[in-house]
Amino acid sequence: MDRTFGFEKGVELAQTAINAAHEEARSALNGIGIVKLMGRESGYIALHSSMASGNVDVVVIPEVKFKMEGLVEHVLHKFNSSRHCVIVVADGAGQDVCTPPNSSKQFDVSFTESKAIVPSLIDN
């Protein structure tokens, strides 16, 4: 089996968001559209929907490590050539890049504390 239940529908719905972000970014000088899609451990939906839409300039997925400097450099290059940029980010991408400085707590990329909140509510 190459795909799970709901994969094609997820890709189809993601393309709607990507196309809307593209139109929004295109409407402003140096406009940028960022779409965050599900994919904590895997960027399949982000990758497939980006390829299918044809409007994405950067896809950031958990399977491929990146450096923020390289991402910024590419976005600036896109601004010089097309005056807008669309970035699709899978939910789990950049975990090693986006950690808060000087923090002893563990956070995920959305800066949500990693430990479960429910047990602390039960203890009180």
Side-chain angles (χ1 to χ4, degrees):
M1 179 194 283
D2 292 336
R3 296 184 180 125
T4 60
F5 178 76
F7 175 80
E8 290 178 12
K9 187 65 173 180
V11 169
E12 178 185 335
L13 292 174
Q15 286 181 62
T16 303
I18 290 169
N19 291 335
H22 177 255
E23 288 304 314
E24 185 72 22
R26 199 170 68 117
S27 69
L29 179 64
N30 292 335
I32 188 164
I34 300 175
V35 179
K36 179 181 172 189
L37 297 175
M38 65 180 130
R40 171 75 60 193
E41 303 292 329
S42 157
Y44 289 136
I45 291 177
L47 183 63
H48 283 266
S49 57
S50 296
M51 290 189 309
S53 80
N55 292 324
V56 177
D57 301 301
V58 179
V59 181
V60 186
I61 58 175
E63 294 90 339
V64 179
K65 301 290 183 201
F66 69 96
K67 293 187 188 278
M68 190 60 75
E69 298 82 18
L71 177 64
V72 171
E73 183 180 321
H74 183 72
V75 170
L76 292 174
H77 175 73
K78 287 303 298 177
F79 285 158
N80 288 331
S81 63
S82 65
R83 301 288 188 221
H84 69 278
C85 183
V86 176
I87 302 172
V88 172
V89 182
D91 193 32
Q95 294 289 331
D96 57 331
V97 176
C98 298
T99 55
N102 304 323
S103 176
S104 61
K105 296 180 180 180
Q106 295 292 337
F107 292 83
D108 68 9
V109 75
S110 64
F111 294 109
T112 304
E113 204 170 340
S114 292
K115 67 180 182 180
I117 296 171
V118 176
S120 66
L121 294 175
I122 294 171
D123 292 340
N124 294 332

